[in-house]
Amino acid sequence: MTAFSLEPAQLAWCAELRALADERLRPLAEKGAPGRVNRALLVELGALGLLPRLFTSGALDLCLMRESLAHACTEAETALALQGLGAHPVHAHGTETQRARWLPRVGDGSAVAAFALSEPDAGSDAAALSLGAEPDAGPADADAAGTGGADAGRRGEPGTTRPVTPERPGTGTARPGAGRGAEASRPPGPATPDTGRPGPEASRPAPDAHGPGARQAPAPASLAADRDGPSAWRLTGEKCWISNAPEADFYTVFARTTPGAGARGVTAFLVPADRPGLTGTPLDMLSPHPIGALAFDAVPVTTDDVLGEVDRGFRVAMDTLNLFRPSVGAFAVGMAQAALDATLAHTTARTAFGGRLRDLQTVAHQTAEMALRTEAARLMVYAAATAYDEGAPDVPRRSAMAKLLATETAQYVVDRAVQLHGARALRRGHLLEHLYREVRAPRVYEGASEVQRGIIAKELYRTLDATTEEAGP
């Protein structure tokens, strides 16, 4: 369906992506192990030129990719999106050394990226992060941390905590409680809806959970450089609901470097997965995805691992989430369209009460409502993405609106589709059974629906206050 003001070339590209997802990506997705990173799928996404495009496309192109892939293969869409989410901070805020080391490998699918923001007690409230960055400026520690360049991926010396080893399929975790005691291997408790501060949320995180509390270590009031070596920290604490963990090759990690400073005291670090003291545990979710918890036991990092500026990591998170939130909506629109298409075909072929289902007014009105909401969500997603590409001042509000409307719409459309299909849609392996499980998470990760409403209200009142102040008494 022609929507927004897409050019013919864009529409043709979307059709091509849907065909590629159906013919080349879905077979690889079906061969993957549920809940594990599908590296063969990533390599194919790289070979098709889609992963490199993450770093050359704008927000609208990203939305078109995610919507088109989701229509035919949600696994391929998710694999692409997670690579972008984890690597965008490196692309946008990394040093030349960091970009040269990791981005080519992300682009060809040989390195798996992850975005590590969410914590057991800080999901949507990213300003409440407690993963501590303890100062450690000795030269020995700087050597252990590496430089983020040639030495960044070096393994720890014998006797250190065994790191996560993503290159060994089947080992996903490396002694998840080593160096931390039994509690480190215990997955976070059940998630509860997060209606906290209207701020960003981590890569595919669930809302705040009640599980093992993150241990906050003393953090420096300011960055200090010891004359015996480069400035360094030790990361101590926990992360949870991290997509691609514990199998990722590197993580964009947000840690508190200045206590009591809220959003202003968080720093983003690029942490290779084999740093000593970094361990992980996979989590079993409703819809199997590669997702897990991470434990940091004095993991060494240096200034060469910083993404952006020290104590300015919140900006890195916001920049990333403002780009990806509309595209989460595009993912949802793709699923909604797939459910709508399946419903149109089913209600045309299925006979009941002496005729086709589509001829029943109650059915026809439901399909009309499904189409109406899907198209409205699509238009809002495209508008938000275009606003981002044009540098509009209202991107946070538009991004929040797009994600909120699209994810809530997809939930409605998929649910209606299941109802119109009947029991067959609940059978394991049916497209709608798959979509019914897939569609639930986007309303939670990268900012729950309640958080998006908070952002929207905050932006509306901020605009009102600014307008009132300009008008004067």
Side-chain angles (χ1 to χ4, degrees), residues 189-215:
T192 56
D194 183 349
T195 57
R197 187 196 61 76
E201 185 158 316
S203 65
R204 303 239 184 244
D208 290 351
H210 302 290
R215 187 173 66 190

Side-chain angles (χ1 to χ4, degrees), residues 133 233 235 251-253 255 257 267-271 301-302 305-307:
W233 298 264
L235 303 181
Y251 300 88
T252 295
V253 177
T257 41
T267 300
F269 294 95
L270 192 164
V271 183
V301 291
T302 73
D305 298 311
V306 173
L307 293 169

Side-chain angles (χ1 to χ4, degrees), residues 73 97 129 206 308 316 422 426:
C73 182
T97 300
L129 294 178
V316 177
L426 302 177

Side-chain angles (χ1 to χ4, degrees), residues 268-336:
F269 294 95
L270 192 164
V271 183
D274 54 8
R275 285 289 168 84
L278 175 57
T279 59
T281 308
L283 301 174
D284 189 15
M285 309 298 286
L286 171 68
S287 182
H289 284 83
I291 189 170
L294 298 172
F296 295 78
D297 186 5
V299 175
V301 291
T302 73
T303 51
D304 292 318
D305 298 311
V306 173
L307 293 169
E309 302 176 54
V310 173
D311 283 348
R312 295 295 182 266
F314 196 75
R315 296 178 182 176
V316 177
M318 282 301 300
D319 173 67
T320 304
L321 292 171
N322 280 336
L323 169 61
F324 276 84
R325 274 180 174 153
S327 73
V328 174
F331 172 38
V333 168
M335 289 190 287

Side-chain angles (χ1 to χ4, degrees), residues 19-42:
L20 288 172
D22 186 43
E23 298 166 8
R24 295 179 59 174
L25 298 177
R26 188 192 297 170
L28 290 172
E30 292 173 347
K31 294 178 182 178
R36 299 295 306 276
V37 172
N38 189 329
R39 290 182 178 261
L41 181 60
L42 283 174

Side-chain angles (χ1 to χ4, degrees), residues 57-231:
S57 298
L60 181 57
D61 268 6
L62 176 60
C63 287
L64 296 180
M65 281 195 289
R66 294 191 67 174
E67 179 186 343
S68 300
L69 293 179
H71 184 270
C73 182
T74 60
E75 296 89 347
E77 184 283 332
T78 299
L80 175 109
L82 295 183
Q83 285 287 83
L85 190 66
H88 177 76
V90 182
H91 167 68
H93 302 278
T95 65
E96 288 298 329
T97 300
Q98 291 168 335
R99 289 196 290 266
R101 174 174 173 79
W102 291 108
L103 295 187
R105 296 181 58 198
V106 171
D108 65 19
S110 63
V112 178
F115 187 86
L117 177 65
S118 190
E119 297 181 0
D121 293 317
S124 296
D125 190 2
L129 294 178
S130 61
L131 175 67
E134 185 178 56
D136 190 2
D141 293 321
D143 288 342
T147 64
D151 295 332
R154 189 177 61 190
R155 296 201 175 278
E157 298 300 323
T160 62
T161 303
R162 201 172 143 209
V164 176
T165 52
E167 70 276 16
R168 295 175 54 201
T171 62
T173 63
R175 294 172 53 221
R180 292 294 310 276
E183 67 173 2
S185 63
R186 202 168 60 231
T192 56
D194 183 349
T195 57
R197 187 196 61 76
E201 185 158 316
S203 65
R204 303 239 184 244
D208 290 351
H210 302 290
R215 187 173 66 190
Q216 182 172 355
S222 61
L223 178 65
D226 188 276
R227 63 182 181 181
D228 292 328
S231 296

